[in-house]
């Protein structure tokens, strides 16, 4: 008997069916059966499932003799199921990699509950969406089990069949069946939740829920949406036949009426000419099934509950008045915010009448994300070398708690922010200040950048539409016009920044301050970091840091992380750090969270310091991230996984050919990558030689004294003893020197 019976009802989905079936059959958990139910589909779906059944014994093709609809097709699948658990998957949706293994693990941990509810991600036809609205609710359950009376908030979970695993004997033992018509999921979901004694949750994205541009019945308006009343009448008939569930009736009644009220105004469901009739059906249902002593909720639908029995013109008028009231309140808030902005501009203008404070420096990093990167390194050096310089950090309100104790700070767009930024002399940032900040004569802006560039930046983006998606190059240049000094790590970086940002700044060959610790090393800090992260003693640490793909709307993994982890073995700890702009990717709720729970990797995307993660690791695995330039300073192995180099270079543009001039070994497939680690070649003599040459070319000014050098030059007005003189010509002239975008050397 298999662990899982996955039931797939099939009707007019021939363009999606193969992807759906493949997502099931390629799962790492193979203890399953697939019951594909052909609901008399008029296209080629029946032949497709027969093909899969002939190729894989786990697939059973069921052909119905007449079209019975989604719900009854599921029932037909249940009749053929033999697995411990029933799972339903719509044939235009798919499972994420590793989903069934994660479900199996959670079922085992929670002792095989009646129901397990899992998370999903909406995949719109134009790209993947973000986390589901119930992600936090699922996460709050942890590994506990509960019933719905003790935790009624879980009645707010998504009312669909495909986000749950039902224990088969529980499902069939309670006679749960789907009815004909739309909204067939709702009554069965509520019946099951009410009957279940043990419910568990898994806050992992297991299902990709496709939002098709056309063809979805739920987005086709018409009278079929009146099926909702029949479906819920079936729910209350079920409750009538189960008096032991009477305590659940008020909760289910509230959710039912809220569903009606939410459906009524939806133009993609109820036509305007049908809304009066829909409201009348809602009122009839309300009167027929209202529990004795029921008290309407005081929630978002509170007003509608109080007026639900009023004639529809009155109900509609009140709803319209409520919408107008909300719009008026929004307008008042907008006007209030605009007045506040004007007042702040006036206040900032008055502050600019004061003299500059020659001993005041303002720092920011990563759009005010905290005390990070190069600005943090310069700040630490200034505390030692120029203690007379007062430092104030600009941080977002949500980042204040991450600041070390004793750090003076302001939050953006507050009175003190305007007072400080109007009077400070020094401004240090690794991204440009917003255009709203007015630069006064005598103020010094130091731009540290966020690393040495590989992909095109600034004006060089203009030749690559994907690279400038949501990037205003003109605004970038206007912000860069305020730079006084640009810090660079090599002649290569200086040439790039001078070309990409044709503005009036001076390049300083100081090296990157944040890389000082990578050059010098810090064994005590490394030991503390490994302990905090929970890295087992003696393990090798590999940092995987992929870069962002501007030509992809959402993050798409380039590696099978689970296969990589298996290939690395138990003596290697894999740290995964996605690009900051991919930090909210739904992918983190897929394999990453699951593999971390199983102790197979550590997701360090949210760790504030990239330098810390480089410091703690023994090797860097990346594709085209600029971290490779920083990491070369550690003199530790770097592996480049360049499986889509040509696509990346075409979409983003690149200043040199990484696979041709890499800082270490290059792989293009997961097989090559795992073999590289298995053989030990990742840290051989060739890797060391490539890294040494790379470091000479791209880290020429990184010598461990960059932060002190910046403070000495800009705040103390003298050269630091270890200052590196600017070279008239870059080293490595000739064919091995990276070509600039126009082909010059």
């Amino acid at each position: 008997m298999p662990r899982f019976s996955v039931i797939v009802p099939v009707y007019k989905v021939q363009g999606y069916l193969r992807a759906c079936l493949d997502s099931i059959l390629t799962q790492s958990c193979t203890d399953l059966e697939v019951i594909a139910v052909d609901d008399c589909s008029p296209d080629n779906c029946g032949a497709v499932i027969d093909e899969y059944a002939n190729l894989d014994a786990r697939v059973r093709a069921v052909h119905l003799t007449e079209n019975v609809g989604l719900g009854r097709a599921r029932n037909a699948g249940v009749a053929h199921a033999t697995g411990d658990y029933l799972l339903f998957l719509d044939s235009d949706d798919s499972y994420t990699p590793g989903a069934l293994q994660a479900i199996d693990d959670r079922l085992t941990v929670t002792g095989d509950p009646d129901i397990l509810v899992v998370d999903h991600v909406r995949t719109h036809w134009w790209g993947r969406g973000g986390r589901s609205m119930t992600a936090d609710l699922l996460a709050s359950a942890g590994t506990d089990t509960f019933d719905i009376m003790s935790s009624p908030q879980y009645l707010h979970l998504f009312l669909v069949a495909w986000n749950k695993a039902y224990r088969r004997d529980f499902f069939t033992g309670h006679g749960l069946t789907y009815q004909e018509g739309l909204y067939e999921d709702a009554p069965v979901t509520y019946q099951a939740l009410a009957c279940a004694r043990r419910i568990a949750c898994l806050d992992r994205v297991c299902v990709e829920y496709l939002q098709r541009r056309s063809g979805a019945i739920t987005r086709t308006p018409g009278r079929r949406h009146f099926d909702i009343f029949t479906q819920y009448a079936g729910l209350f008939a079920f409750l009538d036949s189960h008096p032991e569930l009477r305590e659940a009736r008020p909760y289910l009644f509230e959710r039912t009426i809220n569903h009606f009220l939410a459906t009524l105004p939806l133009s993609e469901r109820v036509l305007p000419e049908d809304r009066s009739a829909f409201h009348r059906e809602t009122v009839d249902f309300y009167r027929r099934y209202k529990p004795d002593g029921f008290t309407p909720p005081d929630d978002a639908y509170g007003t509608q509950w109080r007026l639900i029995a009023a004639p529809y013109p009155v109900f509609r008028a009140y709803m319209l008045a409520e919408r107008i009231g909300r719009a008026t309140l929004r307008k008042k808030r907008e006007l209030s915010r605009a007045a506040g902005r004007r007042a702040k501009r006036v206040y900032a203008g008055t502050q600019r009448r004061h003299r500059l404070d020659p001993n005041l420096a303002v720092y920011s990093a990563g759009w005010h994300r905290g005390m990070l990167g190069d600005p943090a390194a310069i700040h630490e050096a200034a505390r030692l070398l120029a203690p007379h310089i007062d430092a104030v950090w600009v941080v977002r309100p949500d980042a204040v708690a991450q600041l070390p104790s004793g750090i003076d700070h302001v939050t953006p767009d507050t009175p003190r922010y305007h007072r400080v930024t109007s009077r400070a002399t020094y401004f240090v940032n690794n991204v440009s200040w917003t255009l709203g900040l007015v630069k006064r004569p005598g103020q010094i802006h130091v731009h540290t950048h966020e690393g040495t560039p590989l992909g095109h930046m600034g004006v060089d983006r203009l030749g690559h539409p994907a690279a400038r998606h949501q990037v205003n190059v003109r605004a970038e240049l206007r912000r860069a016009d305020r730079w006084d000094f640009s810090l660079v790590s090599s002649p290569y970086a200086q040439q790039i920044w001078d070309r990409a940002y044709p503005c009036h700044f001076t390049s300083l060959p100081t090296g990157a301050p944040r890389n000082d610790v990578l050059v010098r090393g810090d064994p005590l800090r490394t030991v503390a970091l490994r302990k905090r992260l929970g890295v087992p003693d003696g393990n090798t640490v590999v940092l995987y840091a992929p870069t962002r793909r501007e030509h992809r709307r959402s993050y798409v993994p380039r590696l099978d992380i689970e296969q990589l982890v298996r290939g690395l073995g138990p003596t290697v700890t894999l740290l995964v750090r996605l690009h900051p702009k991919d930090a909210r990717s739904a992918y983190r709720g897929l394999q990453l969270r699951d593999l971390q729970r199983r102790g197979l990797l550590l997701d360090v995307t949210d760790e504030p310091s990239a330098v810390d993660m480089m410091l703690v690791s023994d090797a860097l695995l990346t594709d085209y991230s600029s971290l490779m330039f920083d990491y070369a300073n550690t003199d530790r192995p770097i592996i480049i996984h360049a499986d889509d180099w040509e696509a990346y270079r075409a979409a983003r543009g690149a200043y040199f050919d990484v696979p041709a001039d890499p800082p270490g070994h290059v792989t293009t497939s997961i097989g090559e990558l795992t073999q590289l680690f298995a053989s030990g070649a990742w840290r051989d003599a060739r890797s060391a030689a490539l890294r040494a040459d790379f470091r000479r070319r791209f880290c020429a000014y990184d010598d461990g004294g960059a932060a002190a050098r910046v403070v000495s030059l800009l705040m103390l007005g003298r050269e630091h003893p270890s200052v590196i003189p600017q070279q008239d010509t870059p080293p490595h002239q000739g064919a091995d020197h990276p070509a600039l975008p126009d082909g010059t050397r």
Side-chain angles (χ1 to χ4, degrees):
M1 183 167 65
R3 180 64 160 163
F4 298 118
S5 293
V6 184
I7 297 167
V8 182
V10 177
Y11 185 74
K12 294 179 69 173
V13 287
Q14 63 180 4
Y16 308 95
L17 181 56
R18 291 182 184 276
C20 172
L21 295 175
D22 288 343
S23 77
I24 305 170
L25 298 173
T26 57
Q27 290 284 311
S28 55
C29 174
T30 60
D31 190 11
L32 58 89
E33 64 179 1
V34 179
I35 303 170
V37 183
D38 173 19
D39 190 19
C40 284
S41 184
D43 54 13
N44 199 42
C45 287
V48 171
I49 63 175
D50 285 340
E51 174 190 335
Y52 273 77
N54 290 332
L55 294 173
D56 194 320
R58 296 174 297 170
V59 180
R60 177 180 301 179
V62 176
H63 297 278
L64 302 183
T65 58
E66 61 177 339
N67 177 250
V68 298
L70 179 60
R72 292 169 63 189
R74 288 183 184 141
N75 297 337
V78 172
H80 289 84
T82 62
D84 296 332
Y85 276 84
L86 300 174
L87 291 89
F88 300 97
L89 184 64
D90 289 355
S91 45
D92 53 357
D93 297 336
S94 59
Y95 284 138
T96 61
L100 293 185
Q101 186 60 58
I103 292 173
D104 191 25
D105 291 344
R106 182 54 60 94
L107 290 173
T108 300
V109 168
T110 53
D112 283 357
D114 299 323
I115 304 171
L116 175 70
V117 188
V118 304
D119 203 1
H120 70 280
V121 61
R122 290 178 184 264
T123 304
H124 300 276
W125 60 272
W126 65 82
R128 177 182 283 173
R131 300 178 72 211
S132 71
M133 296 176 63
T134 56
D136 292 337
L137 185 60
L138 292 168
S140 66
T143 56
D144 294 335
T145 60
F146 53 88
D147 61 43
I148 214 63
M149 292 309 301
S150 64
S151 302
Q153 68 271 24
Y154 286 94
L155 288 172
H156 291 260
L157 292 170
F158 202 24
L159 291 175
V160 290
W162 43 256
N163 68 343
K164 302 172 186 72
Y166 294 102
R167 189 159 48 79
R168 184 167 62 89
D169 57 4
F170 162 80
F171 192 90
T172 58
H174 283 86
L176 301 178
T177 57
Y178 293 95
Q179 301 304 309
E180 184 178 3
L182 298 186
Y183 302 95
E184 78 292 335
D185 291 346
V188 173
T189 296
Y190 284 141
Q191 290 168 22
L193 292 175
C195 292
R197 300 279 69 85
R198 297 178 63 249
I199 304 168
C201 295
L202 173 61
D203 58 326
R204 181 200 192 277
V205 174
C206 294
V207 180
E208 293 219 34
Y209 172 36
L210 180 64
Q211 301 285 278
R212 285 193 271 165
R213 184 173 183 271
S214 62
I217 297 176
T218 55
R219 294 181 178 273
T220 305
R223 295 287 296 195
R224 290 193 63 186
H225 289 278
F226 282 67
D227 289 352
I228 194 172
F229 300 107
T230 303
Q231 297 288 4
Y232 275 104
L235 167 62
F236 282 86
F238 180 86
L239 294 176
D240 289 341
S241 64
H242 290 78
E244 72 277 10
L245 301 179
R246 60 183 176 276
E247 292 183 12
R249 192 180 184 101
Y251 294 111
L252 296 176
F253 180 74
E254 176 187 331
R255 298 306 306 151
T256 297
I257 301 300
N258 276 357
H259 197 173
F260 296 164
L261 294 175
T263 303
L264 173 59
L266 296 180
S267 57
E268 68 269 25
R269 298 195 180 186
V270 183
L271 293 168
E273 59 267 27
D274 291 332
R275 286 179 184 159
S276 176
F278 194 96
H279 173 261
R280 187 166 55 252
E281 292 281 356
T282 300
V283 174
D284 290 345
F285 196 102
Y286 179 91
R287 290 170 173 165
R288 185 180 308 120
Y289 295 107
K290 178 184 176 183
D292 293 337
F294 177 79
T295 302
D298 186 17
D299 59 11
Y301 295 102
T303 302
Q304 298 183 46
W305 274 91
R306 290 190 293 274
L307 295 170
I308 195 169
Y312 180 66
V314 176
F315 179 85
R316 183 179 58 183
Y318 269 94
M319 294 308 99
L320 179 60
E322 191 174 66
R323 287 199 297 273
I324 293 173
R326 288 195 297 267
T328 302
L329 182 59
R330 284 196 301 270
K331 188 63 176 179
K332 287 181 178 179
R333 289 172 178 168
E334 291 173 4
L335 293 173
S336 177
R337 286 193 292 266
R341 288 192 294 269
R342 286 194 297 270
K344 288 172 183 176
R345 286 197 296 269
V346 172
Y347 178 77
T350 63
Q351 293 302 306
R352 289 194 291 272
R353 298 172 187 168
H354 294 270
R355 291 182 178 180
L356 295 181
D357 184 343
N359 296 322
L360 179 59
V362 179
Y363 295 86
S364 179
W367 301 110
H368 313 321
R369 288 192 298 114
M371 190 174 171
L372 306 167
D374 293 300
I378 295 172
H379 172 241
E380 290 299 323
R383 294 174 73 175
L384 296 174
L385 300 176
H388 61 285
I389 302 291
D390 295 323
V392 179
W393 277 83
V394 181
V395 293
R396 301 183 319 214
D398 61 338
V400 169
Q402 299 176 10
L403 289 176
S405 60
I407 297 298
D408 193 7
H409 64 275
V410 295
T411 53
D413 209 28
T414 58
R416 185 164 183 250
Y417 165 84
H418 291 293
R419 186 165 64 251
V420 167
T421 56
S422 296
R423 301 184 183 187
T425 295
Y426 303 101
F427 289 75
V428 183
N429 205 338
N430 59 3
V431 296
S432 295
W433 298 92
T434 63
L435 291 173
L437 187 146
V438 177
K439 183 182 179 183
R440 296 178 61 187
Q443 291 182 328
I444 300 171
H445 282 224
V446 181
H447 191 75
T448 71
H449 305 286
E450 292 185 283
T452 298
L454 168 62
H456 281 182
M457 303 292 291
V459 297
D460 292 331
R461 289 177 182 262
L462 297 177
H464 299 273
R468 68 172 189 267
H469 177 62
Q470 296 184 333
V471 174
N472 187 331
V473 175
R474 289 180 180 271
E476 276 193 340
L477 297 182
R478 288 170 58 198
R479 289 191 290 264
D481 279 332
R482 295 177 299 184
W483 302 351
D484 291 294
F485 298 102
S486 166
L487 308 187
V488 297
S489 297
S490 65
Y492 160 85
Q494 179 174 339
Q495 292 181 67
I496 298 304
W497 294 127
D498 287 351
R499 176 192 174 98
Y501 294 93
C503 304
H504 304 289
F505 56 81
T506 299
S507 293
L508 294 181
T510 58
R514 72 181 182 283
N515 288 344
D516 288 347
V517 68
L518 299 179
V519 176
R520 297 192 304 261
D522 191 337
L524 293 179
R525 183 173 168 185
T526 300
V527 170
L529 286 168
R530 289 175 68 101
K531 183 176 181 180
R532 179 172 67 79
L533 293 173
V535 176
D537 291 341
N539 263 28
T540 298
V541 178
V542 175
L543 172 62
Y544 175 49
T547 195
R548 183 171 174 78
R549 305 298 196 275
E550 278 83 357
H551 59 286
R552 302 301 297 260
R553 187 175 181 90
S554 57
Y555 177 74
V556 176
R558 304 300 313 176
L559 284 175
D560 184 334
I561 295 291
E562 187 167 3
Q563 185 177 345
L564 175 61
V565 169
R566 289 199 303 267
L568 292 176
T571 61
V572 176
T573 298
L574 181 68
L575 308 183
V576 177
R577 185 178 181 85
L578 301 186
H579 189 281
K581 291 184 178 179
D582 290 323
R584 296 180 63 82
S585 166
Y587 174 70
R588 296 183 66 194
L590 277 72
Q591 284 180 300
L592 292 191
R593 184 183 299 168
D594 180 44
L595 294 174
Q596 178 159 288
R597 284 174 176 153
R598 290 156 58 187
L600 298 178
L601 58 77
L602 295 174
D603 180 359
V604 295
T605 302
D606 294 331
E607 285 287 333
S609 173
V611 168
D612 279 350
M613 298 304 100
M614 289 188 279
L615 197 63
V616 80
S617 60
D618 299 297
L620 172 68
L621 169 62
T622 186
D623 37 36
Y624 324 116
S625 170
S626 65
L627 288 188
M628 70 177 75
F629 300 100
D630 305 311
Y631 200 81
N633 287 291
T634 67
D635 198 28
R636 298 171 189 166
I638 301 172
I639 300 95
I640 300 296
H641 188 69
D643 68 317
D644 66 337
W645 168 246
E646 293 303 329
Y648 177 84
R649 182 164 60 176
R652 175 63 191 264
Y655 290 116
F656 73 97
D657 191 336
V658 176
D661 296 295
H665 288 288
V666 178
T667 62
T668 57
S669 69
I670 186 68
E672 290 180 3
L673 183 58
T674 54
Q675 177 58 31
L676 183 71
F677 279 104
S679 66
W682 62 280
R683 51 185 173 187
D684 61 10
R686 181 169 181 269
S687 171
L690 290 169
R691 183 169 67 253
D693 183 62
F694 190 86
R695 183 174 179 180
R696 283 191 297 270
R697 296 167 62 194
F698 300 112
C699 310
Y701 304 148
D702 286 331
D703 64 352
R709 188 172 301 123
V710 172
V711 173
S712 296
L713 286 170
L714 302 181
M715 296 181 179
L716 300 178
R718 60 175 182 264
E719 288 193 352
H720 190 271
S722 61
V723 67
I724 300 173
Q726 173 71 13
Q727 300 181 38
D728 293 332
T729 57
H732 296 282
Q733 288 285 352
D736 64 337
H737 190 74
L740 291 177
D742 62 358
T744 61
R745 296 284 182 182

